[in-house]
Amino acid sequence: MAAAAAVVTPSGLEDAVSRSHGEGAGEAVVERGPGAAYHMFVVMEDLVEKLKLLRYEEELLRRNNLKPPSRHYFALPTNPGEQFYMFCTLAAWLINKAGRHFEQPQEYDDPNATISNILSELRSFGRSADFPPSKLKSGYGEHVCYVLDCLAEEALKYIGFTWKRPTYPVEELEEETVPEDDAELTLNKMDEEFVEEETDNEENFIDLNVLKAQTYRLDLNESAKQEDILESTTDAAEWSLEVERVLPQLKVTIRTDNKDWRIHVDQMHQHKSGIESALKETKGFLDKLHNEIGRTLEKIGSREKYINSQLEHLVQEYRAAQAQLSEARERYQQGNGGVTERTRLLSEVTEELEKVKQEMEEKGSSMTDGAPLVKIKQSLTKLKQETVQMDIRIGVVEHTLLQSQLKEKSNMTRDMHATIIPESEMGSY
């Protein structure tokens, strides 16, 4: 498992970048190291290991049917929308694992609100978040890795996880056979070779007396030969040519091993001497260059002061012209605003005038046209006819009503007479 690396906050990185562009002379210039651009890859690998410790594969990925992220998922841009959704999901899950209640973000939620909620939770844990929230909207980058790594650490603290020292397995040491180096010749090896030669000779010669006789005869023959070879008949030029021809075959080459520590030490000494000699030369050149740059800077500073003193009145005139230009622009803006307002009023008046013209045309056409008078006459005649018809109907109805009243009255008088006559007759009896 990868060891937890020292976390560098993104705010510190941004401050280092801002300080690297020093505004004034004499300020300390702090620049980011060459490996700062790859720091988020290390943080991302540590984050994956911490998520595995939190069992995010069983509790988050399988429940939500999500694919496990790669080692550099949030460090490189692949799909910003998918990466932002994965970032919000992981952040919400880690906040819940850290003991805080946080609702799982949905696909159609406001991203700005979600990011602000995540950052507020991060600050509540005591973590710094001195960077704009828009850095998290892309779904990748060092700020995203930093936020998730901080939340994962808080979740591990909440569940009581502690980092322990690694335990290494005990391995049994085997006896290693050190290969002999061909370049090293020892006296023991030479003695062994001589002993082997003597044993071979002993195996070949068994009888010592015969050996003595043979050696005696050989000595006599060699003495006789040496007496014969006292005067040499060989040409010196031919001897030197033969020596040159055979000399390459007589050379003993010892193969050097690159793994030998002696070769490495020699190379280190050679490189050290080369660096020291080069350092002396380059130091002299650099000192000269430094002195020249210092003198050039002094000249530039003095020239700047001289130019500023000579062109001070022109600078003042330029500033006055700039002030006049700004005033003219303000007046132009004000006049432009009045022109636009008057143009709007003109358009409104023009629209009203068009409406009035259209109404006047309609009224003029209606006054010259006799069709309305004809319609009025026709309607009047129709009304008269309807009035006559209504009068006739009213008269018929009155006549019918009068007849019904008279008929009812006659019926009532007849009934009254009919009831009075029988009573008089009953009284006479």
Side-chain angles (χ1 to χ4, degrees):
M1 184 181 298
V7 178
V8 179
T9 60
S11 61
L13 295 176
E14 291 181 355
D15 295 339
V17 174
S18 62
R19 289 196 298 272
S20 64
H21 305 286
E23 293 180 356
E27 294 183 356
V29 179
V30 180
E31 295 182 355
R32 296 177 63 180
Y38 305 96
H39 178 72
M40 58 182 173
F41 294 94
V42 179
V43 176
M44 183 62 203
E45 291 181 359
D46 293 340
L47 174 62
V48 172
E49 298 296 334
K50 292 173 185 176
L51 291 175
K52 289 180 181 178
L53 291 174
L54 293 170
R55 302 175 62 85
Y56 83 113
E57 294 177 350
E58 295 84 1
E59 298 181 6
L60 178 65
L61 299 180
R62 293 180 182 174
R63 291 182 181 178
N64 297 325
N65 294 324
L66 298 174
K67 295 181 180 179
S70 60
R71 291 190 307 151
H72 304 147
Y73 182 75
F74 292 109
L76 297 173
T78 55
N79 188 353
E82 181 182 353
Q83 285 176 318
F84 179 73
Y85 177 71
M86 191 69 181
F87 161 70
C88 295
T89 305
L90 271 176
W93 181 75
L94 289 172
I95 292 169
N96 290 322
K97 288 289 287 185
R100 305 288 181 86
H101 178 68
F102 193 86
E103 294 183 358
Q104 192 72 20
Q106 301 298 325
E107 186 176 0
Y108 299 102
D109 290 346
D110 186 11
N112 295 321
T114 305
I115 290 171
S116 63
N117 294 331
I118 292 172
L119 290 178
S120 63
E121 292 292 338
L122 182 65
R123 293 188 184 96
S124 65
F125 287 120
R127 300 281 184 166
S128 62
D130 300 332
F131 53 88
S134 60
K135 296 286 186 181
L136 303 177
K137 194 177 292 185
S138 60
Y140 68 91
E142 58 183 0
H143 302 89
V144 173
C145 297
Y146 166 71
V147 171
L148 292 177
D149 186 69
C150 293
L151 293 176
E153 288 182 358
E154 295 297 330
L156 289 173
K157 289 180 184 177
Y158 182 77
I159 65 175
F161 178 81
T162 55
W163 296 98
K164 298 180 180 179
R165 291 186 176 182
T167 55
Y168 301 101
V170 180
E171 298 180 357
E172 295 181 358
L173 298 176
E174 298 179 356
E175 294 182 358
E176 297 181 356
T177 58
V178 179
E180 296 180 354
D181 193 358
D182 295 336
E184 297 180 359
L185 298 177
T186 59
L187 295 174
N188 295 327
K189 190 173 181 181
M190 295 175 67
D191 293 339
E192 290 176 359
E193 291 178 356
F194 285 128
V195 170
E196 289 178 358
E197 290 179 357
E198 289 177 357
T199 53
D200 293 338
N201 292 329
E202 289 177 356
E203 291 177 356
N204 294 328
F205 301 101
I206 298 173
D207 194 356
L208 295 175
N209 294 322
V210 176
L211 179 62
K212 288 179 180 180
Q214 288 179 356
T215 53
Y216 180 72
R217 287 194 296 269
L218 287 172
D219 291 336
L220 291 175
N221 293 328
E222 287 179 357
S223 62
K225 288 180 179 179
Q226 288 176 358
E227 291 176 356
D228 294 337
I229 307 174
L230 289 176
E231 294 180 0
S232 177
T233 58
T234 306
D235 189 6
E238 293 179 356
W239 177 262
S240 61
L241 289 174
E242 185 67 18
V243 170
E244 291 178 358
R245 185 180 67 82
V246 182
L247 186 61
Q249 299 178 2
L250 298 177
K251 289 182 179 178
V252 178
T253 57
I254 299 173
R255 292 177 296 176
T256 59
D257 189 4
N258 293 326
K259 295 182 180 179
D260 190 8
W261 62 273
R262 296 179 183 84
I263 296 172
H264 293 300
V265 171
D266 294 335
Q267 290 178 354
M268 288 170 64
H269 287 299
Q270 292 176 2
H271 292 317
K272 182 181 178 182
S273 61
I275 290 169
E276 289 177 352
S277 62
L279 179 61
K280 291 179 181 178
E281 297 177 0
T282 54
K283 189 175 181 182
F285 291 127
L286 290 175
D287 290 336
K288 291 180 181 178
L289 184 61
H290 180 265
N291 295 329
E292 290 178 359
I293 291 172
R295 289 194 296 270
T296 306
L297 289 175
E298 290 178 357
K299 289 180 181 178
I300 291 171
S302 61
R303 294 292 176 84
E304 284 182 354
K305 291 179 180 178
Y306 175 73
I307 290 169
N308 290 329
S309 62
Q310 292 293 325
L311 301 178
E312 186 176 1
H313 64 283
L314 295 176
V315 173
Q316 292 178 357
E317 291 178 359
Y318 175 73
R319 289 176 181 172
Q322 287 286 340
Q324 292 177 1
L325 179 61
S326 62
E327 291 178 358
R329 285 180 178 175
E330 290 179 359
R331 290 196 298 271
Y332 172 74
Q333 292 292 336
Q334 294 175 359
N336 193 10
V339 169
T340 53
E341 183 67 22
R342 287 177 175 78
T343 304
R344 185 179 61 79
L345 293 174
L346 178 62
S347 62
E348 291 179 357
V349 171
T350 306
E351 290 178 358
E352 292 179 357
L353 181 61
E354 292 293 333
K355 290 180 181 178
V356 171
K357 285 182 178 180
Q358 187 176 0
E359 291 178 356
M360 289 177 65
E361 288 178 356
E362 291 178 355
K363 288 181 179 180
S365 61
S366 62
M367 289 173 66
T368 56
D369 191 6
L373 294 175
V374 174
K375 291 180 180 179
I376 291 170
K377 289 180 180 180
Q378 291 177 356
S379 59
L380 287 174
T381 54
K382 189 175 181 180
L383 284 173
K384 288 179 180 180
Q385 293 176 359
E386 289 178 355
T387 304
V388 172
Q389 291 178 0
M390 288 298 292
D391 291 337
I392 294 170
R393 289 179 181 178
I394 289 169
V396 171
V397 170
E398 288 179 353
H399 179 71
T400 305
L401 181 60
L402 181 61
Q403 285 183 355
S404 61
Q405 287 178 357
L406 292 173
K407 187 176 182 180
E408 185 178 0
K409 188 175 181 180
S410 63
N411 290 331
M412 287 176 66
T413 53
R414 187 181 57 194
D415 292 337
M416 288 175 64
H417 289 294
T419 54
I420 294 170
I421 291 171
E423 287 179 0
S424 60
E425 291 179 356
M426 288 296 292
S428 64
Y429 287 112

